[in-house]
Amino acid sequence: MLFAKYLLLSFMVVRVQLFLHQLQPFLFVNINDTAKIQCSSKEQFLAGGVRAQWYRRREGEAPMLIKRCSDHQNVNKVACILEGHNLTLAIYNAQRNDSGVYYCTNSYIILTFGNGSTLIVGDSYTTSSWVLPLAPSPQGLLSSGTADLACVVHGVSNPVQISWSISGDLQDQGLMHSLKAKDGSLVFINHISVPVATWTSGKNFTCDVKFNSSGKSVKKIARYVEAPASECSHYIVPLAAGAGLLLLVVSLSLVWTLCPSTLGFKPRISAPPASEENQDGILYAHLDFDSRNRNGRTMQRSARGKRVKP
């Protein structure tokens, strides 16, 4: 019986979690403007919002309850707007410290959260901000068939929007990690995994970082570069040429020492001219070149011509 209740509760938890959905992954507003963060539910919100709440999570902090929709306190700053299946959190006169990730919640049976919306107020860019894409080395590709890339955004004051595109095709948002430096600035690392075949296809992998509502962004491109076969490959050709030249010099030195006559130190005896017989404009000759015996004598044979009639 207890196990059956547990299964029923688990099913209800999963079912309720599917109810809440936030359609704004990122929302940019200027300072002093009004930010409106939306949440939708498959089930209609109760009048007065007795179960609806909003939480905010800042980098390095735990989520904090900022608004119960059932009360009407501090409505000049934050207010809940209920419209059937839609719930909106309005933040008036938004300031930089209002930046963070906002979650709508519903306390039906248990407390459940939406998927979150990141609010960025003002400009997150600072004088120490920079963007750096990280790509795997050719030797570091995983045997599992995937390549891991990351986009590092350093030295920002508030969250930023990071997206990836492959040769112009927008990809799903990657996995985000964040760190807080000693000076209070933030570091964001957005990570994606793609098949090795996609990474090595020669396409451009673009990391697009948006810091404010201006619409402008910083784009950094990573591209696969094939590694050389070996670090020593640049030296193979000159080494081979040098070895060949050295071998040639050694060979000539040996020949010079053992067989000086072959290098022109003794006059060579020229072969006798070949005999010629010319008939009817056609010359036929059989040539026998010099041959030497072991005593250095020269045996000469004259060339004999044969007459051939046409």
Side-chain angles (χ1 to χ4, degrees):
M1 184 66 179
L2 181 61
F3 180 71
K5 288 183 178 180
Y6 173 77
L7 288 179
L8 178 60
L9 180 60
S10 299
F11 170 76
M12 296 179 71
V13 168
V14 174
R15 181 172 176 268
V16 171
Q17 286 177 339
L18 295 177
F19 284 169
L20 302 177
H21 187 63
Q22 296 174 238
L23 296 176
Q24 302 161 291
F26 286 88
L27 177 64
F28 291 88
V29 298
N30 294 321
I31 296 176
N32 298 326
D33 286 353
T34 298
K36 292 185 177 181
I37 306 172
Q38 300 174 352
C39 176
S40 62
S41 173
K42 289 186 177 180
E43 299 231 350
Q44 188 170 357
F45 288 99
L46 296 178
V50 292
R51 298 194 185 108
Q53 303 172 96
W54 284 92
Y55 281 78
R56 179 185 65 208
R57 181 180 63 83
R58 292 172 176 163
E59 296 301 325
E61 300 178 4
M64 181 180 63
L65 176 65
I66 62 168
K67 182 62 178 176
R68 287 189 175 92
C69 294
S70 58
D71 64 48
H72 298 284
Q73 299 178 358
N74 198 22
V75 293
N76 293 330
K77 177 60 180 178
V78 281
C80 290
I81 303 174
L82 289 167
E83 297 176 347
H85 294 268
N86 298 318
L87 172 65
T88 301
L89 175 68
I91 304 176
Y92 305 106
N93 192 28
Q95 301 298 311
R96 291 185 184 274
N97 59 3
D98 291 320
S99 299
V101 185
Y102 287 79
Y103 300 91
C104 63
T105 69
N106 195 330
S107 59
Y108 179 71
I109 302 179
I110 64 171
L111 184 64
T112 58
F113 289 78
N115 52 302
S117 297
T118 300
L119 173 65
I120 302 173
V121 181
D123 194 347
S124 299
Y125 190 87
T126 67
T127 55
S128 60
S129 297
W130 47 260
V131 178
L132 177 67
L134 301 178
S137 64
Q139 297 85 359
L141 294 177
L142 298 179
S143 59
S144 61
T146 60
D148 297 319
L149 294 90
C151 186
V152 180
V153 183
H154 175 274
V156 294
S157 60
N158 274 317
V160 295
Q161 181 181 1
I162 304 176
S163 58
W164 287 90
S165 63
I166 303 178
S167 292
D169 296 330
L170 188 64
Q171 304 298 302
D172 293 335
Q173 296 293 330
L175 183 63
M176 183 79 81
H177 304 274
S178 62
L179 301 170
K180 196 167 186 178
K182 294 181 179 180
D183 60 358
S185 64
L186 301 174
V187 178
F188 291 92
I189 304 174
N190 193 280
H191 163 262
I192 62 170
S193 294
V194 298
V196 170
T198 303
W199 168 240
T200 58
S201 63
K203 296 181 178 180
N204 290 335
F205 289 74
T206 304
C207 169
D208 192 314
V209 182
K210 191 175 181 181
F211 296 85
N212 51 47
S213 61
S214 66
K216 297 181 180 180
S217 60
V218 174
K219 301 178 186 291
K220 296 291 183 179
I221 297 177
R223 185 186 299 108
Y224 173 75
V225 178
E226 187 173 357
S230 172
E231 295 181 358
C232 299
S233 59
H234 299 290
Y235 305 99
I236 291 178
V237 173
L239 285 176
L245 182 60
L246 179 61
L247 180 61
L248 178 61
V249 171
V250 173
S251 301
L252 290 176
S253 299
L254 291 175
V255 173
W256 190 301
T257 303
L258 300 177
C259 306
S261 61
T262 61
L263 296 178
F265 281 90
K266 293 184 178 180
R268 298 188 63 182
I269 303 175
S270 60
S275 60
E276 298 181 359
E277 295 185 10
N278 194 345
Q279 183 178 7
D280 298 329
I282 299 177
L283 175 65
Y284 293 87
H286 177 72
L287 303 179
D288 286 339
F289 292 99
D290 292 350
S291 60
R292 290 185 173 85
N293 58 16
R294 294 183 179 178
N295 297 326
R297 297 178 181 177
T298 302
M299 305 297 294
Q300 299 181 2
R301 291 184 182 179
S302 60
R304 298 187 299 273
K306 293 183 181 180
R307 182 182 303 172
V308 179
K309 295 182 180 181

